[in-house]
Coordinates of all heavy atoms in Angstrom, one line a residue:
P35 N -20.5 28.5 33.2 CA -21.7 27.6 33.2 C -22.4 27.4 31.9 O -23.1 26.4 31.7 CB -22.7 28.5 34.1 CG -22.2 29.9 33.9 CD -20.7 29.8 33.8
G36 N -22.2 28.2 30.9 CA -22.7 28.1 29.6 C -21.7 27.8 28.5 O -20.7 27.1 28.8
A37 N -21.9 28.4 27.4 CA -21.0 28.2 26.3 C -19.7 29.0 26.5 O -19.8 30.1 27.1 CB -21.6 28.6 24.9
V38 N -18.6 28.6 26.0 CA -17.3 29.3 26.1 C -17.3 30.6 25.3 O -16.5 31.5 25.6 CB -16.1 28.4 25.8 CG1 -16.1 27.2 26.8 CG2 -16.2 27.9 24.4
A39 N -18.1 30.7 24.2 CA -18.2 31.8 23.4 C -19.5 31.8 22.6 O -20.1 30.8 22.4 CB -17.0 31.8 22.4
E40 N -19.9 33.0 22.1 CA -21.1 33.1 21.4 C -21.0 32.9 19.9 O -21.9 32.8 19.2 CB -21.7 34.5 21.7 CG -22.2 34.7 23.1 CD -23.3 33.7 23.5 OE1 -24.2 33.5 22.8 OE2 -23.1 33.2 24.6
D41 N -19.7 32.9 19.4 CA -19.5 32.8 18.0 C -18.3 31.9 17.7 O -17.5 31.6 18.6 CB -19.2 34.2 17.4 CG -19.4 34.3 15.9 OD1 -19.8 33.3 15.3 OD2 -19.2 35.4 15.4
I42 N -18.1 31.6 16.5 CA -16.9 30.8 16.1 C -15.7 31.8 16.1 O -15.9 33.0 16.3 CB -17.1 30.2 14.7 CG1 -17.3 31.3 13.6 CG2 -18.3 29.3 14.7 CD1 -17.4 30.8 12.2
D43 N -14.6 31.3 15.8 CA -13.3 32.1 15.7 C -13.3 32.7 14.3 O -12.8 32.2 13.4 CB -12.1 31.2 15.9 CG -10.8 32.0 16.0 OD1 -10.8 33.2 15.6 OD2 -9.8 31.5 16.6
R44 N -13.9 34.0 14.3 CA -14.0 34.6 13.0 C -12.7 35.0 12.4 O -12.5 35.0 11.1 CB -14.9 35.9 13.1 CG -16.3 35.6 13.5 CD -17.1 35.0 12.3 NE -18.4 34.7 12.6 CZ -19.3 34.3 11.7 NH1 -19.0 34.1 10.4 NH2 -20.6 33.9 12.1
S45 N -11.7 35.4 13.2 CA -10.4 35.7 12.6 C -9.7 34.5 12.0 O -9.1 34.6 10.9 CB -9.5 36.3 13.7 OG -9.3 35.4 14.7
L46 N -9.9 33.4 12.6 CA -9.3 32.1 12.1 C -10.1 31.8 10.8 O -9.5 31.3 9.8 CB -9.4 31.0 13.1 CG -9.0 29.6 12.6 CD1 -7.6 29.6 12.1 CD2 -9.1 28.6 13.7
W47 N -11.4 32.0 10.8 CA -12.2 31.7 9.6 C -11.7 32.5 8.4 O -11.6 32.0 7.3 CB -13.7 31.9 9.9 CG -14.6 31.4 8.9 CD1 -15.4 32.1 8.0 CD2 -15.0 30.0 8.7 NE1 -16.2 31.3 7.3 CE2 -15.9 30.0 7.7 CE3 -14.5 28.8 9.2 CZ2 -16.5 28.8 7.2 CZ3 -15.1 27.6 8.8 CH2 -16.0 27.6 7.8
A48 N -11.5 33.8 8.7 CA -11.0 34.7 7.6 C -9.6 34.2 7.1 O -9.3 34.3 5.9 CB -10.9 36.1 8.1
G49 N -8.8 33.7 8.1 CA -7.4 33.2 7.7 C -7.5 32.0 6.8 O -6.7 31.8 5.9
L50 N -8.5 31.1 7.1 CA -8.7 29.9 6.3 C -9.1 30.3 4.9 O -8.7 29.7 3.9 CB -9.7 29.0 7.0 CG -9.3 28.3 8.3 CD1 -10.5 27.7 8.9 CD2 -8.2 27.2 8.0
A51 N -10.0 31.3 4.8 CA -10.4 31.7 3.5 C -9.3 32.4 2.7 O -9.1 32.1 1.5 CB -11.6 32.7 3.7
A52 N -8.5 33.2 3.4 CA -7.4 33.9 2.7 C -6.4 32.9 2.2 O -5.7 33.1 1.2 CB -6.8 34.9 3.7
S53 N -6.2 31.7 2.9 CA -5.3 30.7 2.5 C -5.9 29.7 1.5 O -5.3 28.7 1.2 CB -4.8 30.0 3.7 OG -4.1 30.9 4.6
D54 N -7.1 30.0 1.1 CA -7.8 29.1 0.1 C -8.1 27.7 0.7 O -8.3 26.8 -0.1 CB -7.0 29.0 -1.2 CG -6.9 30.3 -2.0 OD1 -7.8 31.1 -1.9 OD2 -5.8 30.5 -2.6
L55 N -8.2 27.6 2.0 CA -8.5 26.3 2.6 C -10.0 26.0 2.6 O -10.4 24.9 2.7 CB -7.9 26.2 4.0 CG -6.3 26.1 3.9 CD1 -5.8 26.2 5.4 CD2 -5.8 24.9 3.3
L56 N -10.8 27.0 2.6 CA -12.3 26.8 2.6 C -12.7 26.4 1.2 O -13.8 25.8 1.1 CB -13.0 28.1 3.0 CG -12.8 28.5 4.5 CD1 -13.6 29.8 4.8 CD2 -13.1 27.4 5.5
S57 N -12.0 26.7 0.2 CA -12.3 26.4 -1.2 C -11.5 25.2 -1.7 O -11.6 24.8 -2.9 CB -12.1 27.6 -2.1 OG -10.7 27.9 -2.1
L58 N -10.8 24.5 -0.8 CA -9.9 23.4 -1.1 C -10.6 22.3 -1.9 O -10.1 21.9 -3.0 CB -9.3 22.8 0.1 CG -8.1 21.9 0.0 CD1 -6.9 22.7 -0.5 CD2 -7.8 21.2 1.3
T59 N -11.8 22.0 -1.5 CA -12.5 20.8 -2.2 C -13.6 21.3 -3.2 O -14.3 20.4 -3.7 CB -13.1 19.9 -1.1 OG1 -14.0 20.7 -0.3 CG2 -12.0 19.2 -0.3
L60 N -13.7 22.6 -3.4 CA -14.6 23.1 -4.4 C -14.0 22.9 -5.8 O -12.8 23.0 -6.0 CB -15.0 24.5 -4.1 CG -15.7 24.8 -2.8 CD1 -16.0 26.3 -2.7 CD2 -16.9 24.0 -2.7
S61 N -14.8 22.8 -6.8 CA -14.3 22.7 -8.2 C -13.8 24.0 -8.7 O -14.2 25.1 -8.1 CB -15.4 22.2 -9.1 OG -16.5 23.1 -9.2
P62 N -12.9 24.0 -9.7 CA -12.4 25.3 -10.2 C -13.5 26.3 -10.7 O -13.4 27.5 -10.5 CB -11.5 24.8 -11.4 CG -11.1 23.5 -11.0 CD -12.2 22.9 -10.3
E63 N -14.6 25.7 -11.2 CA -15.7 26.6 -11.6 C -16.3 27.4 -10.5 O -17.0 28.4 -10.7 CB -16.8 25.8 -12.4 CG -17.5 24.8 -11.5 CD -18.6 24.0 -12.2 OE1 -19.6 24.7 -12.7 OE2 -18.5 22.8 -12.3
H64 N -16.1 26.9 -9.3 CA -16.6 27.6 -8.1 C -15.5 28.3 -7.3 O -15.7 28.7 -6.2 CB -17.4 26.7 -7.2 CG -18.6 26.1 -7.8 ND1 -18.9 24.7 -7.7 CD2 -19.6 26.6 -8.5 CE1 -20.0 24.5 -8.4 NE2 -20.5 25.6 -8.9
G65 N -14.4 28.4 -8.0 CA -13.2 29.1 -7.3 C -12.4 28.3 -6.4 O -11.6 28.8 -5.6
G66 N -12.5 26.9 -6.6 CA -11.7 26.1 -5.7 C -10.6 25.3 -6.4 O -10.3 25.5 -7.5
A67 N -9.9 24.5 -5.6 CA -8.8 23.7 -6.1 C -9.1 22.4 -6.6 O -8.3 21.7 -7.2 CB -7.7 23.6 -4.9
G68 N -10.4 21.9 -6.3 CA -10.8 20.6 -6.8 C -10.2 19.4 -6.1 O -10.1 18.4 -6.7
L69 N -9.7 19.6 -4.9 CA -9.1 18.4 -4.2 C -10.1 17.5 -3.6 O -11.3 17.8 -3.6 CB -8.1 18.9 -3.1 CG -6.9 19.7 -3.7 CD1 -5.9 20.0 -2.6 CD2 -6.2 19.1 -4.9
D70 N -9.7 16.4 -3.1 CA -10.6 15.3 -2.6 C -10.8 15.3 -1.1 O -10.1 16.1 -0.4 CB -10.1 14.0 -3.2 CG -8.7 13.6 -2.7 OD1 -8.2 14.3 -1.8 OD2 -8.1 12.7 -3.2
P71 N -11.6 14.4 -0.6 CA -11.8 14.3 0.9 C -10.5 14.0 1.6 O -10.4 14.3 2.8 CB -12.8 13.1 1.0 CG -13.6 13.2 -0.2 CD -12.6 13.6 -1.3
V72 N -9.5 13.3 1.0 CA -8.3 13.0 1.7 C -7.6 14.4 2.1 O -7.1 14.5 3.2 CB -7.3 12.2 0.8 CG1 -5.9 12.1 1.4 CG2 -7.9 10.8 0.6
A73 N -7.6 15.3 1.1 CA -7.0 16.6 1.4 C -7.8 17.3 2.6 O -7.2 17.9 3.5 CB -7.0 17.5 0.2
L74 N -9.1 17.2 2.6 CA -9.9 17.8 3.6 C -9.5 17.2 5.0 O -9.4 17.9 6.0 CB -11.4 17.6 3.4 CG -12.3 18.1 4.5 CD1 -12.2 19.6 4.8 CD2 -13.8 17.8 4.1
C75 N -9.4 15.9 5.0 CA -9.0 15.2 6.3 C -7.6 15.6 6.8 O -7.4 15.7 8.0 CB -9.1 13.7 6.1 SG -10.8 13.0 6.0
L76 N -6.7 15.9 5.8 CA -5.4 16.4 6.2 C -5.5 17.7 6.9 O -4.8 18.0 8.0 CB -4.5 16.5 5.0 CG -4.0 15.1 4.5 CD1 -3.3 15.3 3.1 CD2 -2.9 14.5 5.4
V77 N -6.3 18.6 6.4 CA -6.5 19.9 7.1 C -7.3 19.8 8.4 O -6.9 20.4 9.4 CB -7.3 20.8 6.1 CG1 -7.5 22.2 6.8 CG2 -6.5 21.0 4.8
L78 N -8.3 18.9 8.4 CA -9.0 18.7 9.7 C -8.1 18.2 10.8 O -8.2 18.5 12.0 CB -10.1 17.7 9.5 CG -11.3 18.2 8.6 CD1 -12.2 17.1 8.2 CD2 -12.1 19.3 9.3
R79 N -7.2 17.3 10.4 CA -6.2 16.7 11.3 C -5.4 17.8 12.0 O -5.2 17.8 13.2 CB -5.3 15.7 10.6 CG -4.2 15.1 11.4 CD -3.3 14.3 10.4 NE -2.4 13.4 11.1 CZ -1.5 12.6 10.4 NH1 -1.5 12.6 9.1 NH2 -0.7 11.9 11.1
E80 N -5.0 18.8 11.2 CA -4.2 19.9 11.7 C -5.0 20.8 12.6 O -4.6 21.3 13.6 CB -3.5 20.7 10.6 CG -2.6 19.9 9.7 CD -1.4 19.4 10.5 OE1 -0.9 20.1 11.4 OE2 -1.0 18.2 10.3
S81 N -6.3 21.0 12.2 CA -7.2 21.9 13.0 C -7.4 21.3 14.4 O -7.5 22.1 15.4 CB -8.5 22.1 12.3 OG -9.3 20.9 12.4
A82 N -7.5 20.0 14.5 CA -7.8 19.4 15.8 C -6.6 19.5 16.8 O -6.8 19.5 18.0 CB -8.2 18.0 15.7
K83 N -5.4 19.7 16.3 CA -4.3 19.8 17.1 C -4.3 21.0 18.0 O -3.6 21.1 19.0 CB -3.0 19.7 16.3 CG -2.8 18.4 15.6 CD -1.5 18.4 14.7 CE -1.3 17.0 14.0 NZ -0.1 17.1 13.2
V84 N -5.0 22.0 17.5 CA -5.1 23.3 18.3 C -6.6 23.6 18.7 O -6.9 24.7 19.1 CB -4.6 24.5 17.4 CG1 -3.1 24.3 17.1 CG2 -5.4 24.6 16.1
L85 N -7.4 22.6 18.6 CA -8.9 22.8 19.0 C -9.5 24.0 18.2 O -10.1 24.9 18.9 CB -9.0 22.9 20.5 CG -8.4 21.8 21.3 CD1 -8.7 22.1 22.8 CD2 -8.8 20.4 20.9
A86 N -9.3 24.0 16.9 CA -9.8 25.1 16.1 C -11.3 25.3 16.2 O -12.0 24.3 15.9 CB -9.4 25.0 14.7
R87 N -11.8 26.4 16.6 CA -13.2 26.6 16.9 C -13.9 27.1 15.6 O -14.4 28.3 15.6 CB -13.4 27.6 18.0 CG -12.8 27.2 19.4 CD -13.1 28.1 20.5 NE -14.5 28.5 20.5 CZ -15.0 29.6 20.0 NH1 -14.2 30.5 19.4 NH2 -16.3 29.8 20.1
V88 N -13.9 26.3 14.6 CA -14.5 26.7 13.3 C -15.2 25.5 12.7 O -14.8 24.3 12.9 CB -13.5 27.2 12.3 CG1 -13.0 28.6 12.7 CG2 -12.3 26.2 12.2
P89 N -16.4 25.7 12.1 CA -17.1 24.5 11.5 C -16.5 24.2 10.1 O -17.2 24.1 9.1 CB -18.5 25.1 11.3 CG -18.3 26.6 11.1 CD -17.1 26.9 12.0
L90 N -15.2 23.8 10.1 CA -14.6 23.5 8.9 C -15.1 22.2 8.2 O -15.4 22.2 7.0 CB -13.1 23.3 9.1 CG -12.2 23.0 7.9 CD1 -12.2 24.1 6.9 CD2 -10.7 22.8 8.4
L91 N -15.3 21.2 9.0 CA -15.8 19.9 8.5 C -17.3 20.1 8.0 O -17.6 19.7 6.9 CB -15.8 18.9 9.6 CG -16.5 17.5 9.3 CD1 -16.0 16.9 8.1 CD2 -16.5 16.6 10.5
E92 N -18.1 20.8 8.8 CA -19.5 20.9 8.4 C -19.6 21.8 7.2 O -20.4 21.4 6.2 CB -20.3 21.6 9.6 CG -20.4 20.7 10.8 CD -19.2 20.8 11.7 OE1 -18.2 21.6 11.4 OE2 -19.1 20.0 12.7
T93 N -18.9 22.9 7.1 CA -19.0 23.8 5.9 C -18.5 23.1 4.7 O -19.2 23.1 3.6 CB -18.2 25.1 6.2 OG1 -18.9 25.8 7.2 CG2 -18.2 26.0 4.9
C94 N -17.4 22.5 4.7 CA -16.8 21.8 3.6 C -17.7 20.6 3.2 O -17.8 20.4 2.0 CB -15.4 21.4 3.8 SG -14.2 22.8 3.9
G95 N -18.2 19.9 4.1 CA -19.0 18.7 3.8 C -20.2 19.1 3.1 O -20.6 18.5 2.1
V96 N -21.0 20.1 3.6 CA -22.2 20.5 3.0 C -22.0 21.1 1.6 O -22.7 20.8 0.7 CB -23.0 21.5 3.9 CG1 -24.2 22.1 3.2 CG2 -23.4 20.9 5.2
A97 N -20.9 21.9 1.5 CA -20.5 22.5 0.2 C -20.2 21.4 -0.8 O -20.7 21.5 -2.0 CB -19.3 23.4 0.4
M98 N -19.5 20.4 -0.4 CA -19.2 19.3 -1.3 C -20.5 18.5 -1.7 O -20.6 18.1 -2.9 CB -18.2 18.3 -0.7 CG -16.8 18.9 -0.5 SD -15.7 17.9 0.4 CE -15.4 16.6 -0.9
A99 N -21.4 18.3 -0.8 CA -22.7 17.6 -1.1 C -23.5 18.5 -2.1 O -24.1 17.9 -3.0 CB -23.4 17.3 0.1
L100 N -23.6 19.8 -1.9 CA -24.3 20.7 -2.8 C -23.7 20.6 -4.2 O -24.4 20.6 -5.2 CB -24.3 22.1 -2.2 CG -24.9 23.2 -3.1 CD1 -26.4 22.8 -3.4 CD2 -24.8 24.5 -2.4
Q101 N -22.3 20.7 -4.2 CA -21.6 20.7 -5.5 C -21.9 19.4 -6.2 O -22.0 19.3 -7.4 CB -20.2 20.9 -5.2 CG -19.3 20.8 -6.5 CD -17.8 21.1 -6.1 OE1 -17.4 22.2 -6.2 NE2 -17.1 20.1 -5.7
R102 N -21.9 18.3 -5.5 CA -22.0 16.9 -6.1 C -23.4 16.6 -6.5 O -23.6 16.0 -7.6 CB -21.4 15.9 -5.1 CG -21.3 14.5 -5.6 CD -20.8 13.6 -4.5 NE -20.7 12.2 -4.9 CZ -19.6 11.6 -5.2 NH1 -18.5 12.3 -5.2 NH2 -19.6 10.3 -5.5
Y103 N -24.4 17.0 -5.7 CA -25.8 16.5 -5.9 C -26.8 17.6 -6.1 O -27.9 17.3 -6.5 CB -26.2 15.6 -4.7 CG -25.4 14.4 -4.5 CD1 -24.4 14.3 -3.4 CD2 -25.6 13.2 -5.2 CE1 -23.7 13.1 -3.2 CE2 -24.9 12.1 -5.0 CZ -23.9 12.0 -4.0 OH -23.2 10.9 -3.8
G104 N -26.5 18.8 -5.7 CA -27.5 19.8 -5.6 C -27.8 20.5 -6.9 O -27.2 20.2 -8.0
D105 N -28.7 21.5 -6.8 CA -29.1 22.3 -8.0 C -27.9 23.2 -8.4 O -27.3 23.9 -7.7 CB -30.2 23.3 -7.5 CG -30.6 24.2 -8.7 OD1 -31.4 23.8 -9.5 OD2 -30.2 25.4 -8.6
P106 N -27.5 23.1 -9.7 CA -26.3 23.8 -10.2 C -26.4 25.3 -10.0 O -25.4 26.0 -9.7 CB -26.3 23.4 -11.7 CG -27.0 22.1 -11.8 CD -28.1 22.2 -10.8

Side-chain angles (χ1 to χ4, degrees):
V38 297
E40 294 298 315
D41 198 4
I42 63 173
D43 188 337
R44 292 287 177 176
S45 61
L46 176 56
W47 194 249
L50 291 169
S53 299
D54 296 326
L55 291 173
L56 296 182
S57 60
L58 193 69
T59 55
L60 299 180
S61 64
E63 66 179 296
H64 297 133
L69 297 189
D70 59 12
V72 172
L74 174 60
C75 286
L76 286 167
V77 177
L78 291 169
R79 178 187 190 177
E80 298 302 319
S81 75
K83 294 178 181 179
V84 296
L85 306 184
R87 301 183 49 261
V88 287
L90 181 60
L91 171 59
E92 294 80 6
T93 294
C94 290
V96 174
M98 292 173 72
L100 175 59
Q101 176 176 265
R102 185 182 180 101
Y103 297 104
D105 178 80

